[in-house]
Amino acid sequence: MLTIATIYWLTNTGASSARLYWEDRHTEHPTEPTTVPTGLASFAHDFSPVRKFAERDHKNIVSWWRFDRGSHWAAHDAPDLLVTDLRTFFGPLRQS
């Protein structure tokens, strides 16, 4: 914990790291489910989403993958899985 606090202090990034939470608290959230095409990649060592709740809030889930490795930092510890997932999700858009 001290290491993390020190990094934020020395790099002067504490405020910017908290910005996401401030913006989420001060924004108006949709009252109806989204209809935008949505994809989810769930990595083994990260929060595991509950599909029932995702489908409640997002009516157009077109991609849902659970991977056997990777974590919250998938771009660093499982980049091959992340890139494949992104290409699979966005691939049809290139065809249009």
Side-chain angles (χ1 to χ4, degrees), residues 35-56:
T35 57
V36 174
T38 303
L40 180 125
S42 177
F43 294 91
H45 305 291
D46 196 7
F47 170 77
S48 184
V50 178
R51 185 149 188 158
K52 176 175 83 170
F53 296 121
E55 289 174 340
R56 177 195 67 192

Side-chain angles (χ1 to χ4, degrees), residues 2-17:
L2 189 56
T3 301
I4 293 170
T6 301
I7 291 170
Y8 284 139
W9 180 270
L10 295 176
T11 60
N12 198 27
T13 56
S16 63
S17 70

